[in-house]
Amino acid sequence: MRTLPSALVDAQKSASAAPYLRVTINDLVGGNRRLVWTRLYTGAEPDSYHAACMPGDGSLIRARVTGGHVYYQRVTSPSGSSDFSPWTDLGAAANAGVALCASGSRVLLFYMDAGGTLVKVRESTDNGATLGSAVTAATASGAVTWLAGAVKSSGDALVAYSVGAAMSVAKRTSGTWGSPTAWPGTAASISGIACWYRADWNFAIAGTDSSGQAFVWATLFGDGYSKPAGQWGAQNEVTRASAGSAVMFRAPFVMYGDVYRLTFVEKYTGAAAYARPYHTYQTASADYAFNLWHEPVPFNLASDYGEAMAINVTTGFWMSTPSGVWNAPLVTTMLDVTADVLECAMTDGPFAGSFRLVLRNDDGRYSAPPAPIRIGAEVRIGTGYQTGSGPLASDGPWCWIDGIEYRTGGGAGSIAITGRNGWGLLEAWRARRTYAWAAGQTNIFNMLLQLFARVGLEFASIAASADSTSLQPAFAIQPGESGLTAVRRLLAMLPDVIYLEGQYGYLDNPLASDAAVVDYGATYPILAARYANRGTEANRVQVFGTTTFSEVFDWPSIDLAYDRVAHVSDRNLTTQAQTDSRASALLRHALTEARSDEITVPAHCGLQQWDVITVTDAVAGLVTAKRRVAGVEMRYSVREPARYEQRLKLQEA
C-alpha cells in the first residue's frame, strides 16, 4: 500500500469526506521527455561525416568533412532566426570521421590529416570562438575511417578511432597525449563510433560480427565509476540485424542530457534501399552499463551519416546534420486539468489497465487541444480528498493516451480522453526480430527488466522470489510477439506477480503470511459486495524438470471434486528446489484464483493491486477474512448522481 500523509488517511475515513481527483497530462513516456523536434535549418550541404557540441555559453558548434577539407561553424545564440549556412574552411583533411566535444568553455575538434593516419586536435578555451593550432593526438596504423572524442571538466580527454575492424583510444592526461591502446572487443567490421564522458567514457559502436550479423553495441572504458580506470566493460547489444538481411548499422552518436540518448543509421541495400536514422534512450535511473534501451524509433530523414546531438540547459536539445539543424525543448509541458474533470474511470488489473477521462469543453477551452493533449502523452491520475491541509492525492500507475473524442450538442460540450497503463505499452510492442537467451545466460528478472525498458518503463523488485534470480532458462521471443505475451510466459515460471506504480513495474512474491493493510467492514465501510467461489481449475499439480519431479495436492478440493491435474514439463528446472517451487506456486495460483469476490467501497487513496485486506460482512458470514486485491476499478463523477468509489476484485489471500 502506498504511504499516505496522516491528513489524507483521516479524510478518507470520514463519512463526510469531499472527493478530490488530481489529473495532469505531460509529454512524457515513463517519466522521460518525448522529444518533439522542430527543423530550423535546411541547407544544401552534402551528407558527410559531421559532429556537433555545445560549450557552456550555449553556442552551437558544428563541424563536417567534405571534399578533402574540414569545415567549422559556431552559432552563438542558436534559434529559429539563426543563419546556419556560413562555414569556415579549416584546411585539408582526409575524408574520414570528425568529432567534437565540449566541457565548460573548452571545445575540442578532432579530424584526420590529409594522409588519413594522424589524428589531429584543435582546442578552444573560449567556447569555440577561437581554435588553437593543430596538434597530433595519435598516430594510427592505417587509414582511419571513424572518430569519436570526449573531454572531462579537468581538461583530460579521449579520442577513439577505427582502422578497419579495430578501434583504439588515446587519452590526454594533464595535457599530454598517451600511447593508443586497442579496444579488446570483437568485430568483423566497424561502421561508426561515438563517445560521451559521464563518470566513465561511454561508447556506442556500429559494426558486424564474424557471422555477418549487424550490430550497434554499447560499451564503456572505465574511469572509476562502473569500471576501474582503463578497464573495458562488456560489449552489449543495443540492436541487431541478421546476416543476409541486407541491413547494416552505422554512424552512431551518443549523449547524456536528461537520460542517455543514442542515434544511429539503419542502412538497407536491398530493393527499395534506404538509409534511415533511428533514436533510442535509456530508462531514467539507468547507468550506461545497464544497457536498458527503449526500442529504437525511426526518424523522418534520409542520411548515411546520422544525426549528431547536443544539449543546453536553456535552449534544449539540438540535433544536426551538415544540411540540417533541429531543436526540441528541454522543458516539457505539464497541463493540470483537475478543475475540468467531469468523469473519470480507471481500472488496474492483472496484465491490463485503462482509463477514460471526460473534461468540460462547453466553452471550447479544449477545441484546439493544447500540448500535451495528444496521442502518446502521459496521464497521471491521483485519487485524493479535501483535507485540513488542503487537497491531497496519491498517484497510481501512470497511463498513456490512445484516443481523443469530442462530444457536442444541447449547448454542452466535452472531450473524452482514453488510454492504457504500462500493460498497454507492453501489449503494443512487437518484437522486430528474435530475442533469445541461452540457458544460464541471464535470469528471469533481467529478462523482465530488459522487456520493460524496451517500452520505456522501469522495473524493480519489492520482495521477489528466489526463483526470479536463480532461474536462468533458455527463452526466446519470436518476431511479432508482443511484450505482454513474453512477460506472461516469463511470469508463468515464477510464483511472483507484477504490479504497476508510476513508471515502474514491481516484481513481488505474494505469500499467505502477508499482513492485511486495510480492514473493510470494520474501519472502512463496504457499500456493496458479491462473494463467489467457483472451484479450482487444478487441485493436483505435477511438474517434471530435467531430472526432477514434484507433485502437490489440495486434498480438501480433491475430496469434493476429485482430482483435476495440471501437468508441466520444463527442462529449465534443474534442481529439486526449483521443481518443488514451481509445483507449489502453480497450486497456490489455482487455489487463490478459485475465489472471485467483489466489494464496492469509498475510494481509498493508498490501495494497490495485490495488497492484502480483510473483509468483515456478517450477512455473508465473513469475519476478518483475508483477501488479496487482484484488481481495482475507480469511478469518479461530478455529474448527477455524483460518485467516488472503487470496486475491488478479490482473490483468496
Side-chain angles (χ1 to χ4, degrees):
M1 187 174 74
R2 293 186 290 271
T3 301
L4 303 177
S6 58
L8 185 53
V9 173
D10 293 340
Q12 70 182 9
K13 288 181 180 179
S14 171
S16 59
Y20 172 69
L21 199 72
R22 183 182 63 214
V23 182
T24 58
I25 304 175
N26 309 272
D27 226 340
L28 304 169
V29 176
N32 288 331
R33 292 171 179 84
R34 189 172 58 157
L35 301 186
V36 179
W37 295 101
T38 299
R39 187 163 187 166
L40 305 182
Y41 172 68
T42 301
E45 295 89 341
D47 196 22
S48 63
Y49 296 100
H50 63 277
C53 71
M54 298 193 86
D57 72 341
S59 57
L60 177 61
I61 311 294
R62 300 201 294 153
R64 61 185 177 93
V65 174
T66 308
H69 283 251
V70 58
Y71 295 88
Y72 181 82
Q73 179 188 101
R74 178 175 183 259
V75 177
T76 55
S77 299
S79 69
S81 60
S82 298
D83 185 358
F84 297 98
S85 61
W87 294 88
T88 300
D89 186 345
L90 297 182
N95 287 318
V98 62
L100 281 165
C101 56
S103 179
S105 61
R106 188 186 306 272
V107 175
L108 274 67
L109 167 67
F110 297 96
Y111 60 96
M112 299 307 302
D113 78 322
T117 59
L118 299 181
V119 181
K120 294 295 186 178
V121 57
R122 296 184 65 174
E123 185 168 5
S124 169
T125 56
D126 57 4
N127 296 294
T130 59
L131 292 171
S133 300
V135 173
T136 299
T139 302
S141 60
V144 168
T145 306
W146 298 93
L147 281 177
V151 62
K152 300 167 61 172
S153 59
S154 65
D156 290 352
L158 176 147
V159 65
Y161 56 90
S162 67
V163 177
M167 183 180 77
S168 299
V169 299
K171 287 178 64 178
R172 184 178 75 178
T173 305
S174 301
T176 302
W177 288 99
S179 299
T181 60
W183 170 53
T186 57
S189 68
I190 289 178
S191 49
I193 57 178
C195 184
W196 183 273
Y197 183 82
R198 186 173 184 262
D200 292 308
W201 310 95
N202 300 298
F203 278 86
I205 304 169
T208 60
D209 68 3
S210 58
S211 66
Q213 295 186 101
F215 285 89
V216 176
W217 295 291
T219 188
L220 61 87
F221 190 48
D223 197 39
Y225 182 66
S226 294
K227 288 288 183 181
Q231 186 177 123
W232 285 94
Q235 185 175 338
N236 294 315
E237 173 187 329
V238 177
T239 192
R240 178 196 338 174
S242 300
S245 65
V247 170
M248 66 173 295
F249 303 113
R250 53 185 281 131
F253 291 91
V254 67
M255 64 162 290
Y256 184 90
D258 50 347
V259 294
Y260 286 105
R261 295 183 181 270
L262 168 66
T263 67
F264 60 89
V265 172
E266 178 181 281
K267 185 177 178 67
Y268 173 63
T269 55
Y274 62 81
R276 182 176 299 126
Y278 277 69
H279 63 91
T280 180
Y281 58 87
Q282 289 220 46
T283 54
S285 64
D287 289 334
Y288 196 76
F290 293 174
N291 201 47
L292 297 176
W293 298 98
H294 188 281
E295 185 68 42
V297 178
F299 190 80
N300 186 18
L301 181 71
S303 172
D304 273 337
Y305 293 90
E307 306 156 318
M309 295 181 292
I311 186 172
N312 177 267
V313 294
T314 301
T315 57
F317 294 89
W318 293 85
M319 190 162 62
S320 168
T321 66
S323 61
V325 175
W326 293 258
N327 176 248
L330 180 63
V331 177
T332 57
T333 303
M334 193 278 284
L335 184 65
D336 190 329
V337 299
T338 299
D340 295 329
V341 176
L342 300 176
E343 297 178 7
C344 181
M346 183 168 58
T347 65
D348 183 20
F351 306 112
S354 63
F355 77 94
R356 184 175 187 274
L357 183 68
V358 180
L359 306 178
R360 61 168 294 197
N361 193 40
D362 50 291
D363 56 359
R365 64 185 63 191
Y366 296 114
S367 295
I373 299 182
R374 50 192 169 199
I375 302 298
E378 190 172 272
V379 178
R380 304 182 187 183
I381 300 172
T383 52
Y385 289 93
Q386 300 289 344
T387 77
S389 302
L392 296 175
S394 176
D395 285 340
W398 297 349
C399 300
W400 288 270
I401 296 174
D402 64 12
I404 300 172
E405 174 185 295
Y406 286 91
R407 292 194 176 185
T408 62
S414 63
I415 177 174
I417 302 170
T418 59
R420 297 186 289 176
N421 65 12
W423 293 120
L425 297 182
L426 284 161
E427 186 177 20
W429 180 84
R430 294 293 187 274
R432 278 67 163 171
R433 56 179 175 81
T434 299
Y435 292 79
W437 293 271
Q441 182 177 343
T442 192
N443 58 48
I444 293 178
F445 177 85
N446 281 329
M447 293 179 194
L448 291 167
L449 181 69
Q450 293 177 51
L451 275 169
F452 272 69
R454 220 64 189 171
V455 299
L457 298 177
E458 306 212 50
F459 193 74
S461 168
I462 292 297
S465 68
D467 289 347
S468 68
T469 53
S470 67
L471 278 175
Q472 300 183 356
F475 188 79
I477 304 172
Q478 299 302 327
E481 183 177 351
S482 77
L484 179 60
T485 300
V487 168
R488 296 188 73 154
R489 290 199 293 121
L490 286 168
L491 275 187
M493 304 182 198
L494 300 176
D496 304 74
V497 295
I498 294 175
Y499 69 90
L500 305 180
E501 189 72 11
Q503 78 271 33
Y504 273 87
Y506 289 102
L507 189 66
D508 188 28
N509 182 18
L511 302 175
S513 59
D514 290 344
V517 295
V518 182
D519 303 311
Y520 281 107
T523 308
Y524 291 88
I526 298 174
L527 305 178
R530 177 184 65 81
Y531 308 102
N533 191 338
R534 297 179 296 194
T536 179
E537 292 186 3
N539 52 29
R540 176 186 174 193
V541 177
Q542 296 177 327
V543 177
F544 295 83
T546 304
T547 58
T548 56
F549 170 73
S550 184
E551 186 172 31
V552 292
F553 304 84
D554 180 57
W555 293 113
S557 175
I558 292 173
D559 290 342
L560 293 173
Y562 302 141
D563 61 332
R564 299 172 179 176
V565 181
H567 177 97
V568 173
S569 179
D570 187 348
R571 297 185 65 82
N572 290 305
L573 302 174
T574 58
T575 70
Q576 189 61 48
Q578 291 171 346
T579 309
D580 291 344
S581 176
R582 176 74 62 82
S584 297
L586 290 172
L587 182 62
R588 174 167 166 73
H589 282 319
L591 295 177
T592 57
E593 292 172 1
R595 178 165 294 282
S596 179
D597 296 348
E598 290 183 358
I599 60 173
T600 302
V601 298
H604 190 295
C605 306
L607 202 64
Q608 295 171 293
Q609 187 187 15
W610 305 121
D611 278 346
V612 174
I613 65 170
T614 60
V615 177
T616 297
D617 193 331
V619 175
L622 299 176
V623 179
T624 60
K626 286 182 70 174
R627 297 288 186 267
R628 193 175 294 275
V629 178
V632 181
E633 297 180 1
M634 188 275 292
R635 297 288 185 272
Y636 170 90
S637 177
V638 298
R639 294 170 167 171
E640 293 296 333
R643 65 193 309 188
Y644 190 42
E645 61 190 28
Q646 291 171 331
R647 183 167 63 176
L648 308 181
K649 297 185 176 182
L650 308 177
Q651 296 178 353
E652 198 75 48

